[in-house]
Amino acid sequence: MNTTQRILPYVRQYVIVAIYEVLEQDRIRYEKTESSTIVSEISVYGNKSVFSISVSEQADGTQLLVTMVRPHKYLSADGIQRAVTAVADRISQYLENETVLANASLRRSKLQESVCKA
């Protein structure tokens, strides 16, 4: 299967921003085909393939759908699935890291406020 799906506990817009951030960090060019779909050629483990990345709001979070639409010619079926999973993992990890950093920053701010009041 050349698709993976995740339900992420973030609002749709935040997931879309995370996709753009991940692609731009790696200087990957992309095309926005619909309001919630991005198509891009991404190198995973040294193999360039074309992926479609889309998001949609669900009752329990935002659905991230990553599909390999044009695999690198030498990828096996297992390699395709690993690459699709790796792209979804990059986006999920970006969101997790940003959440952890935001929470740490908030805790530092509250700590500084309590020290200043004392």
Side-chain angles (χ1 to χ4, degrees):
M1 175 183 264
N2 61 348
T3 298
T4 192
Q5 169 188 305
R6 308 242 173 112
I7 300 295
L8 302 173
Y10 308 101
V11 296
R12 178 184 155 278
Q13 191 59 38
Y14 195 44
V15 176
I16 290 171
V17 168
I19 294 167
Y20 290 138
E21 288 293 325
V22 167
L23 295 174
E24 289 174 3
Q25 280 177 355
D26 293 337
R27 293 187 172 99
I28 298 170
R29 293 169 38 164
Y30 55 85
E31 176 185 341
K32 187 175 178 180
T33 59
E34 296 175 25
S35 65
S36 298
T37 302
I38 298 158
V39 175
S40 183
E41 184 177 56
I42 303 171
S43 179
V44 180
Y45 308 126
N47 299 302
K48 285 189 176 183
S49 301
V50 177
F51 294 84
S52 172
I53 307 168
S54 61
V55 297
S56 63
E57 280 196 77
Q58 305 293 315
D60 53 350
T62 299
Q63 178 188 50
L64 172 67
L65 190 65
V66 177
T67 303
M68 186 181 291
V69 294
R70 194 175 70 230
H72 185 275
K73 62 182 175 181
Y74 297 118
L75 278 179
S76 64
D78 287 343
I80 290 170
Q81 192 56 51
R82 281 191 298 274
V84 169
T85 300
V87 171
D89 284 348
R90 282 188 203 169
I91 296 162
S92 298
Q93 289 168 356
Y94 177 87
L95 287 160
E96 290 169 12
N97 290 343
E98 287 298 307
T99 302
V100 167
L101 290 174
N103 288 339
S105 178
L106 183 60
R107 281 193 300 272
R108 254 191 319 272
S109 294
K110 287 183 178 182
L111 179 61
Q112 288 174 345
E113 285 177 16
S114 65
V115 169
C116 289
K117 289 179 182 178

